[in-house]
Amino acid sequence: MKRRTVLQLAAAGVLPGLSHAAAQPPLKELRLDYAYYSPTSLVLRRFGWLEEAFKADGTSIKWVLSAGSNRALEYLNANSIDIGSSAGLAALLARANGNPIRAPYIFSRPEWTALVVRKDSTIRSVADLKGKKVAATKGTDPYLFLLRALKTAGLKRGDIEHVSLQHADGRAALEQGKVDAWAGLDPHMAASELEAGSRLIYRNVAFNTYGFLNVREDFLASRPAEVGKVIQAYERARAWTSANPAAAAKILAEEARVSLPVALLQVKLRSDFSNPQPSSEHVKALLVAAPILVDEALVKPGADLNRAITGLVDTRFAIPYITNLKKA
């Protein structure tokens, strides 16, 4: 499928796989994640708005902490949760490799990752990373950000020594001198900056893919009303977060156990909550980013990334739920 066709399908909302479900008995349990990289999820969980929305149905809400996109996507693939939050490019990688997910909602447009070194490091640029140890969590935006950043300096994955660590462990390894650099993730990255003096040597907001709220494809098809309720609750949390960034930062600080200045840096300066509707904008971002998945052999041979993108980005499902909330 050509790029133009992909964009036309996305703009028109003509995407495969969306079906209308027959009436079903109330859901007994809804399972979804919350994550420190998604302040909106923390707000939603703190105020119990999802529990409130499902109370009449007798549906219990099970919250599961995701330490990174890789964990959220693993939980979805294993049917341990129904709805999970991840970076857009990480979701595309998972979808292309067989994880049956769709993304009907965007929880944020963040600048949540960058390349980080210690305050006393002699490393000043991406080119200086050649031959160095770099920590990054596989299957996440920071890891894919690292690969794309290396390419800007004419480097490849084999030109560095990649150390696979979960985000919090990556920060610790950097500050303890066990690695030379780290592809960071907020709030850990902001904490390392403010508390350890770590420096960001490469930033590129265009390489930070959006925050995707992913739903197991079978769950979206069989339980569209429930997914709609989740989106409405997320919209309530998003609107509140946008109107009360300092209060949202306080919740993040308490949940992630970081200082308030760290949380404020993440919520107020590095997060954009203004556009929750998946659209051709998000399709374009993935089309631009997708080649790195092929170049680094991260997807199965012969994987059709254009098809994976149209299957992932659901541009029509959330429209009535977002529109209805704005009218209310």
Side-chain angles (χ1 to χ4, degrees):
M1 189 178 293
K2 294 182 178 179
R3 176 188 172 96
R4 180 180 299 175
T5 305
V6 174
L7 295 176
Q8 287 172 341
L9 284 172
V14 183
L15 294 171
L18 189 63
S19 61
H20 296 286
Q24 295 194 48
L27 190 65
K28 291 184 178 179
E29 182 180 67
L30 174 67
R31 307 163 301 168
L32 72 163
D33 77 340
Y34 66 102
Y36 304 145
Y37 53 83
S38 173
T40 311
S41 70
L42 304 180
V43 169
L44 182 57
R45 181 170 174 264
R46 172 66 64 91
F47 290 124
W49 289 331
L50 205 55
E51 288 81 355
E52 177 186 309
F54 281 90
K55 184 177 181 180
D57 297 328
T59 302
S60 63
I61 306 299
K62 180 180 179 181
W63 292 98
V64 178
L65 176 65
S66 288
S69 293
N70 60 325
R71 293 287 183 257
L73 293 163
E74 287 168 7
Y75 298 153
L76 285 163
N77 199 37
N79 193 15
S80 298
I81 59 174
D82 306 303
I83 300 173
S85 47
S86 78
L89 189 54
L92 174 60
L93 173 60
R95 171 89 189 192
N97 283 329
N99 194 337
I101 54 173
R102 293 177 69 82
Y105 187 80
I106 306 298
F107 64 80
S108 72
R109 171 68 162 112
E111 186 190 3
W112 52 21
T113 188
L115 298 186
V116 191
V117 298
R118 290 184 302 279
K119 63 180 179 180
D120 59 351
S121 175
T122 58
I123 296 172
R124 301 292 172 183
S125 68
V126 177
D128 294 338
L129 294 177
K130 187 172 183 178
K132 299 294 195 295
K133 290 183 179 180
V134 185
T137 310
K138 272 192 171 182
T140 67
D141 225 30
Y143 178 68
L144 299 169
F145 180 96
L146 168 63
L147 298 181
R148 296 175 77 186
L150 290 173
K151 200 169 183 179
T152 67
L155 301 177
K156 296 183 291 187
R157 180 172 46 171
D159 292 318
I160 64 166
E161 183 180 341
H162 170 238
V163 180
S164 185
L165 294 170
Q166 200 62 42
H167 302 300
D169 297 328
R171 175 196 172 186
L174 177 73
E175 294 177 4
Q176 293 167 11
K178 295 179 180 178
V179 297
D180 301 296
W182 166 51
L185 182 75
D186 277 339
H188 309 292
M189 183 170 69
S192 192
E193 280 182 89
L194 296 184
E195 296 168 6
S198 298
R199 295 186 290 107
L200 308 187
I201 61 160
Y202 183 77
R203 298 174 70 172
N204 188 337
V205 69
F207 283 5
N208 287 255
T209 54
Y210 299 76
F212 278 29
L213 191 68
N214 307 296
V215 185
R216 286 196 354 266
E217 200 163 30
D218 62 340
F219 189 81
L220 182 61
S222 63
R223 294 286 183 171
E226 286 83 353
V227 176
K229 280 188 178 182
V230 172
I231 288 174
Q232 285 180 315
Y234 254 92
E235 274 292 274
R236 184 177 180 183
R238 182 184 68 85
W240 187 90
T241 301
S242 295
N244 303 277
K250 187 173 185 295
I251 292 173
L252 171 61
E254 293 169 358
E255 292 287 336
R257 298 181 180 179
V258 296
S259 70
L260 186 56
V262 166
L264 285 168
L265 177 56
Q266 178 180 345
V267 175
K268 294 191 75 171
L269 297 182
R270 291 182 181 163
S271 298
D272 179 356
F273 303 102
S274 64
N275 184 17
Q277 173 60 49
S279 68
S280 59
E281 172 187 340
H282 307 98
V283 172
K284 288 177 183 177
L286 292 182
L287 284 169
V288 170
I292 196 67
L293 305 182
V294 176
D295 294 346
E296 295 292 342
L298 299 175
V299 292
K300 297 175 181 177
D304 186 340
L305 290 180
N306 284 355
R307 185 180 179 86
I309 291 169
T310 59
L312 174 66
V313 183
D314 192 327
T315 61
R316 64 178 178 174
F317 182 87
I319 291 174
Y321 302 104
I322 293 174
T323 303
N324 288 343
L325 188 67
K326 287 180 178 179
K327 289 180 178 178

